[in-house]
Amino acid sequence: MSEADLTSVHTPASRLSMSGRWLDLSVPRVMGILNVTPDSFSDGGALSADNGAHFKVSLDKALFAAQAMVAAGVDIIDVGGESTRPGAPSVSDTEELERVIPVVAAIRRNFDVRISVDTSSAAVIAASADAGADMINDVRALQRPGALEAAAATNLAVCLMHMQGEPAFMQQAPHYSDVCAEVGAFLLARKRVCEQAGISSDRICLDPGFGFGKTLVHNYALLARLREMHTLGSPLLIGLSRKSMIGAVLGASSADRLAGSLAGAVLAAVAGAHIIRVHDVQSTVDALKIFLAMRNAGQTG
Ligand code: 8Y4
């Protein structure tokens, strides 16, 4: 069989330790996005903080969304309380805790699903572990004060993502001389720092951070060379869903990016991505079934 065979990709890392349990990564896993920012549950935070109804409505909506993802076959639910969009207001620890922790605890009580928390905050990392989360997804790769130590004190998995700059300014003038080399070097350096801090490598996954301080060309160069990132020796998590790298090619607004996002998910799977972070769980699960049917046939034929 030639090396160009789409199914012969070399993927050394094939499992991830999440709060003491292995997640088998011999098949690509789907991470569903659950935003718990006020704008994401369309009451817009209009009700005051002392009004219990606001909290309850949001919690019910979050659980409803989680239920739909579980029914669609999601493997991990990624709960996020801080928007990383350019121009989004920064969130205090207190506010992020109030948004995220009740949702994590409620998902833990109601569903048998892995829970990831999208956070950079040491306080949120510690509280998430106590509330039953399985993974910390940090777009700042545990570089905020105390975050590394907080994660090391748990047995949760961590996703270390690459970002150039900070969310407010990262898209102003992204620059690299070799985007793949520089992203890879950053991820390997952060992985080593985590290992030194006591986070064993079987808890670590890595993410090139599509759209985070990258031009359209940088993003597609990273996708084209994704298989090279297996040399970093960790599972790869990829987030392309509805991003501007899809919208820019299609000339489509966020609501019309599903087909492009599915194409991206399948291309990432072909390149050996282990975890794919998406908005549209059911469609992605279906698309990945086609990839798996092909891969399984290639192994027997
Ligand atoms: C519509 C709405 C379109 C939001 C795009 C977006 C990643 C991530 C994000 C990622 C990991 C996003 C938290 C950006 N992207 N975490 N988080 N990897 N690990 N934008 O690529 O989804 S937020």
Side-chain angles (χ1 to χ4, degrees):
M1 182 55 68
S2 89
E3 284 191 36
D5 179 351
L6 290 175
T7 68
S8 67
V9 78
H10 178 59
T11 56
S14 66
R15 59 183 192 171
L16 182 66
S17 175
M18 307 180 85
S19 53
R21 288 168 65 206
W22 291 111
L23 178 66
D24 170 28
L25 296 176
S26 62
V27 293
R29 298 296 181 176
V30 174
M31 170 182 272
I33 299 168
L34 183 58
N35 285 318
V36 293
T37 51
D39 48 302
S40 56
F41 285 107
S42 55
D43 53 24
L47 299 169
S48 65
D50 64 349
N51 185 336
H54 174 241
F55 165 79
K56 187 163 195 309
V57 166
S58 296
L59 188 60
D60 283 353
K61 287 186 178 176
L63 273 179
F64 189 80
Q67 148 91 69
M69 288 196 268
V70 170
V74 81
D75 299 294
I76 306 167
I77 295 178
D78 189 38
V79 181
E82 189 214 8
S83 176
T84 45
R85 273 182 318 198
S90 68
V91 171
S92 70
D93 276 355
T94 311
E95 194 170 352
E96 197 181 342
L97 287 164
E98 283 172 5
R99 290 176 184 176
V100 166
I101 299 306
V103 174
V104 171
I107 295 173
R108 180 78 300 140
R109 275 196 305 275
N110 286 277
F111 306 110
D112 180 18
V113 68
R114 311 296 179 111
I115 304 169
S116 162
V117 177
D118 158 19
T119 188
S120 301
S121 152
V124 177
I125 290 170
S128 296
D130 291 341
D134 303 291
M135 177 175 189
I136 299 301
N137 172 30
D138 185 4
V139 300
R140 296 179 183 82
L142 302 177
Q143 294 178 102
R144 281 256 176 98
L148 181 66
E149 295 75 13
T154 73
N155 63 352
L156 274 60
V158 299
C159 177
L160 308 173
M161 199 196 77
H162 174 272
M163 169 163 57
Q164 186 178 80
E166 264 284 313
F169 310 104
M170 65 188 178
Q171 292 307 109
Q172 281 182 7
H175 177 82
Y176 304 84
S177 24
D178 180 337
V179 66
C180 298
E182 288 171 51
V183 168
F186 170 85
L187 293 175
L188 194 57
R190 290 309 298 164
K191 177 178 169 176
R192 297 288 175 244
V193 166
C194 286
E195 290 167 343
Q196 286 297 310
I199 302 175
S200 71
S201 62
D202 57 20
R203 289 168 55 198
I204 300 173
C205 66
L206 303 175
D207 183 338
F210 287 104
F212 285 86
K214 283 131 192 140
T215 65
L216 191 63
V217 172
H218 294 142
N219 286 318
Y220 280 97
L222 282 166
L223 185 58
R225 294 177 60 186
L226 195 58
R227 51 215 304 160
E228 295 173 27
M229 296 223 163
H230 295 302
T231 60
L232 300 172
S234 293
L236 300 177
L237 192 157
I238 297 301
L240 298 158
S241 182
R242 299 186 192 173
K243 284 189 177 171
S244 63
M245 67 180 285
I246 306 289
V249 170
L250 302 180
S253 63
S254 183
D256 296 313
R257 295 176 184 174
L258 176 58
S261 298
L262 295 177
V266 170
L267 291 171
V270 166
H274 299 84
I275 302 173
I276 305 184
R277 183 178 179 275
V278 303
H279 298 83
D280 306 282
V281 172
Q282 181 71 72
S283 306
T284 306
V285 167
D286 285 352
L288 291 174
K289 282 181 181 172
I290 305 306
F291 162 75
L292 279 174
M294 177 191 74
R295 194 178 70 176
N296 293 339
Q299 284 166 353
T300 58

